[in-house]
Every structure is written in structure tokens, then in C-alpha cells.
Amino acid sequence: MADELETKLSAARTRLILDRPFLGALALRMPMVAVDPEVCATIGTDARSFFYNPDYIRSLSLDQVQFVVAHEVLHCALSHFARREHRARNRWDVACDLAINPLLIREGLTPPPGALYDIGFEGMMAEEIYPCIEENPDQETHDDHFYDKDDSGQSGDRQGDSQSSLKPQEEGDSGSSAGESEGEGGGSKPDQSDDRHGDRQSSRKPQEEGGTGSNARESEGEGVGSKPEPEPESKPEPKPEPKPLNETEREQLAVMWRQRLAGAAQQALQAGKLGGSLARLVDHLLQPELPWRMMLARYMTAMSRDDYSYARPSRREGDAILPTLRSAQIDILVVVDTSGSVSDEEIREFLSEIDAIKGQVRARITLHACDAELAAGGPWVYEAWEEFSLPEGGLQGGGGTRFTPVFEWVDNQGLRPDLVVYFTDGMGEFPKREPACPVIWLIKGRGKVPWGQRIQLN
């Protein structure tokens, strides 16, 4: 039966290599280890190996086995074990599965029973999905993520107990090593009679081989009447069991899987078999990640960059045309979605970030608010030297979401801002035509934008 399961897993991996070389190349990097049902009810990974319950694999079709193998390798390749940070473990695990499963389904793989899937989360990263999930989700993943600790800081008692119960077997079934190391039992001086072979060597070997000293003497043909029974020559090694990662292991494995991800993507591209959704995901993961505050500061700084001017000077200054450093104030329109999807606390945090950047780039800020219509009392204008904050009375709203009124207002006023920054969840009516001015959308949630630069807030 064990041979049958190994054949089934090998066949699934071979099919991935032939049909989906990106996933197949990653799958080759993960050893497959059978474990007891008490350790793993279905499948799981600790970012090192693929662990499986033989009964569970036996219950799946070959197509479903391909799915579960690809599912676990993507957890590792996408470094989900290193990206949780401050987030709650169960909620993060659900977000990771909701990010992976749509990718595999789009690749044509068949999910097993219980695999999480939500059509609304297609194309989203786990960080984007996480805030859209309830704090204590009823959903559960169909696999075990052994690489992480739970929220109480414990490392998983199942794995810890299993490791401790295996230790005596790894160090010698008779338990003599433990006694010798603690100074217990009368066998702490079994090698004093072996002076002709060197006290150092004989006293070191028993500790390495289980503490009985029998193997050392038997290999030398010595029969000194040692009582412990010799270990069998073909003693099977204990099976590796999953355990959570410490900080050093997490960092090392993240680098290793990033390299594997890049290599697998290159192989798949050469074979012409890297799907569009996976290709976009790989491009995103291999690019350096920047926090949204840094990205926003980069755009605003680029807009206000000092530059040289070669304009002809006044004749009073001479005939030579020399470059002069020109510095100009920029006009930024900041719009806040007040439809109710963004909290007052989030709005204040967002405005404080704009205020911090504004002082560095000499920006004149025009603030407007909109839900289905423009907010009454707006706009509010802040010069570069003025503090940018909420107007007195706050921003009123709470209706539906439409983005069209803001851009219609810009056209009607004849304004040409250097940059429009729109803070929203992205779920609303967009103008049919892209405006002439550049637009940055700071998106909270999973909303998509038809044009402009999208920056994810979560």
C-alpha cells in the first residue's frame, strides 16, 4: 500500500512537471513525508517538506492530488510563512488559502473537498484579502500550516510532544545516554578497561552512538561482557515530523524559496507554459516591496522635483544662456471617499501622511470629499505652510459611491492639478473617460481601478 501511495504522488508530480512546469519545478524541491493521522489529518507543510496522511491521499483522485501538492508548494514559494507579521494566525491562514486556490483553479487543477474558494478574491494577494475576512472566521483551511505558531505564542503541542518522544530513540533505545549525561547509573565508566585502544576514543564513541559502548567494542572484536543489547544494524531512522520555524529559519527559507520561485518561473517561461495570472504574481513577488506611504511619497516627490531651466534671461543679465535651478510649487487634489467604507480614524491617518509629505515637496493641497455627490462645504484649500487636517465639523457622507462627480468638478472649474490622490475602497462608479491629470488610487480592500496608479493600503 505504501508503494501504491508513493506511485500516486510521483505520478501527480510528474504530471505537474509535464503540464505545468512552474508548479512541477517547485514540487520537486519538497520531500514528501507520510505522517500519522494524529499529526496531520489531511496534508500540510512546515516550509521544508510536504506532509500527508496516507488515508487522505488514498481518498483523492490523481487530479486532486496534483492540486494539493501544488497548493502546499505555493504556500512555500509565496513565502506565506514569512509574511504574516502582526496578523492573527487563523485569519491569515484563511487569507492565504483564498489567495492560492483561485490561481490553481484557473490553471485547470481540480480542488479537493473542503478547499476554500471565493470568486471575489481572484487575483488578490493574501495581504489584500486579510482585512476582508472576519476577525474569527468560521472557515477552516483544508491543510495544516505547521510553519507558524499560534496566537498564544505556543509552537504546537502536537509537534513538540512528538519531537520529545522521539528523542530517546534517536539517542539510543536503552536510555543510557541520558543517564550518563546526568551522572546517573553505574555505567558512566564502561571504557576504563580499554586503555590499549586509547581512553579518549573509547570514551567519546559511546556518547555518539547511544551511550552503551557496545558498538565500539564489538567493532574492535572486544568481548568485555557488556550487558546492553546491541542495536540492530538496520534500525530505521525516525520519521521527520513538522515543527514551526524560528526567526532565523524563517529568514533563510524565505530567501531560498524566493530563489526557487525565480528559477521555476524561468524554466516555465522557456517552455512557454507560464500562465498569465501566475506570471503577474511572480513579477509582483520578485519586485522590491514598498509600503504605501513610501510609494505615495515617491510619486509626490517626482511631481515636485526641482529641475533646470534654460529659458532666455533678461538682457540686463547678459547674453549667455546658463542653466538655472527652478523650483515650483505643485497643486495636489486630495479626495476622500465618505461613503462609509472608510473609517474616520483611517481618514485622519491618511491625511496626516499627506501632511508629512506635503511639507517636503512644497505642495498646495485642495481637499474634497465625495460619496455619491460632492460633500457640502468643500473644497478646502491648504497652502504649503499650513497644517493639512480635517476641516471643522469633519467630512459628511454615508451614501453610495461615485467617483464621477469629482472629475466633472475638475473639468467644470478648469483645474489642472499636478496630481489627484483618491482615498477609497474602489467600489463605485468610475468616469468613462480617463482624465488628463495623473491619478493615484489608495485602495482599502479589493476594489479594482480601470486607469491610474493603484496602491494597496492593507
Side-chain angles (χ1 to χ4, degrees):
M1 297 295 286
D3 291 342
E4 178 186 343
L5 283 180
E6 291 178 3
T7 301
K8 191 175 188 179
L9 289 166
S10 297
R13 191 156 53 180
T14 301
R15 284 195 180 183
L16 287 175
I17 294 170
L18 295 175
D19 300 337
R20 299 169 181 87
F22 172 71
L23 297 173
L26 293 172
L28 283 175
R29 301 287 191 165
M30 289 192 72
M32 296 187 172
V33 181
V35 291
D36 295 331
E38 291 79 9
V39 175
C40 180
T42 54
I43 54 168
T45 183
D46 62 354
R48 308 176 189 91
S49 303
F50 174 89
F51 296 96
Y52 65 92
N53 176 357
D55 292 335
Y56 178 72
I57 294 296
R58 196 174 291 114
S59 69
L60 300 181
S61 67
L62 184 58
D63 290 338
Q64 291 171 332
V65 173
Q66 289 184 69
F67 185 101
V68 298
V69 170
H71 180 98
E72 296 309 312
V73 299
L74 277 185
H75 274 312
C76 301
L78 303 183
S79 295
H80 284 161
F81 56 88
R83 288 164 48 189
R84 178 163 79 97
E85 298 179 349
H86 62 281
R87 301 174 180 89
R89 178 188 175 184
N90 186 35
R91 194 175 170 192
W92 172 250
D93 288 347
V94 170
C96 291
D97 273 30
L98 287 172
I100 285 178
N101 291 340
L103 287 171
L104 298 178
I105 292 173
R106 185 173 292 184
E107 285 291 307
L109 296 175
T110 304
L116 297 178
Y117 177 72
D118 189 326
I119 194 171
F121 296 127
E122 290 182 346
M124 295 177 64
M125 304 290 290
E127 287 84 352
E128 299 173 78
I129 297 172
Y130 180 86
C132 303
I133 300 173
E134 297 179 359
E135 289 190 7
N136 296 305
D138 296 331
Q139 302 155 301
E140 291 186 2
T141 62
H142 73 279
D143 60 332
D144 288 320
H145 304 163
F146 295 113
Y147 43 74
D148 218 344
K149 297 180 181 180
D150 60 29
D151 295 330
S152 64
Q154 304 201 351
S155 59
D157 294 335
R158 262 189 330 194
Q159 292 81 8
D161 293 344
S162 300
Q163 290 291 341
S164 61
S165 64
L166 282 174
K167 218 170 187 183
Q169 295 177 1
E170 294 171 357
E171 297 176 353
D173 290 343
S174 64
S176 57
S177 298
E180 289 172 9
S181 62
E182 297 173 4
E184 298 177 4
S188 58
K189 300 180 180 180
D191 300 308
Q192 290 181 350
S193 61
D194 295 338
D195 294 339
R196 58 186 174 180
H197 294 288
D199 291 343
R200 293 182 184 178
Q201 186 172 358
S202 60
S203 61
R204 186 187 306 124
K205 268 200 166 188
Q207 295 177 4
E208 297 175 355
E209 299 179 357
T212 62
S214 57
N215 287 349
R217 284 188 290 272
E218 287 173 8
S219 62
E220 295 172 1
E222 300 270 337
V224 293
S226 56
K227 292 183 179 180
E229 296 181 3
E231 296 184 30
E233 296 181 1
S234 59
K235 178 183 176 182
E237 295 183 1
K239 294 181 180 179
E241 290 201 5
K243 57 182 178 180
L245 305 175
N246 59 40
E247 192 61 35
T248 301
E249 291 170 331
R250 187 176 289 108
E251 292 175 0
Q252 292 173 345
L253 285 169
V255 173
M256 183 180 69
W257 278 108
R258 187 182 181 89
Q259 294 170 346
R260 292 174 175 178
L261 178 73
Q266 185 64 31
Q267 293 179 34
L269 283 172
Q270 291 174 353
K273 291 186 176 182
L274 185 60
S277 56
L278 285 175
R280 287 189 294 272
L281 178 63
V282 170
D283 287 341
H284 175 80
L285 290 173
L286 294 182
Q287 290 175 356
E289 297 182 5
L290 297 175
W292 70 266
R293 294 169 177 83
M294 188 177 294
M295 295 183 68
L296 178 60
R298 173 182 290 183
Y299 280 103
M300 291 179 63
T301 303
M303 287 292 175
S304 64
R305 184 176 54 197
D306 294 333
D307 207 348
Y308 286 97
S309 171
Y310 287 87
R312 181 178 294 278
S314 169
R315 289 187 176 275
R316 296 177 183 176
E317 300 176 5
D319 295 330
I321 300 177
L322 300 174
T324 58
L325 187 63
R326 177 180 61 84
S327 179
Q329 177 177 278
I330 63 170
D331 291 316
I332 298 178
L333 172 61
V334 175
V335 188
V336 176
D337 178 359
T338 56
S339 61
S341 58
V342 182
S343 69
D344 291 341
E345 182 61 32
E346 290 169 328
I347 291 174
R348 280 191 289 270
E349 182 183 354
F350 163 66
L351 295 184
S352 67
E353 289 296 330
I354 297 289
D355 185 58
I357 300 170
K358 174 178 70 68
Q360 303 172 19
V361 300
R362 296 181 299 280
R364 181 175 183 265
I365 303 289
T366 300
L367 173 66
H368 226 320
C370 182
D371 48 16
E373 302 293 339
L374 292 174
W380 300 268
V381 179
Y382 302 82
E383 299 296 339
W385 59 86
E386 293 180 319
E387 180 183 357
F388 182 49
S389 59
L390 281 174
E392 292 185 10
L395 300 175
Q396 305 300 318
T401 304
R402 295 175 62 238
F403 308 116
T404 306
V406 172
F407 297 99
E408 289 178 346
W409 174 79
V410 170
D411 289 339
N412 293 336
Q413 296 293 318
L415 301 176
R416 286 295 178 267
D418 295 298
L419 181 66
V420 176
V421 180
Y422 213 125
F423 183 36
T424 176
D425 65 353
M427 308 296 288
E429 175 193 306
F430 288 85
K432 295 181 180 178
R433 186 166 52 90
E434 181 178 358
C437 53
V439 181
I440 293 178
W441 302 92
L442 294 180
I443 301 296
K444 177 203 172 199
R446 47 179 154 166
K448 305 298 181 184
V449 298
W451 35 260
Q453 177 66 43
R454 184 185 188 278
I455 297 179
Q456 182 66 43
L457 281 175
N458 309 119

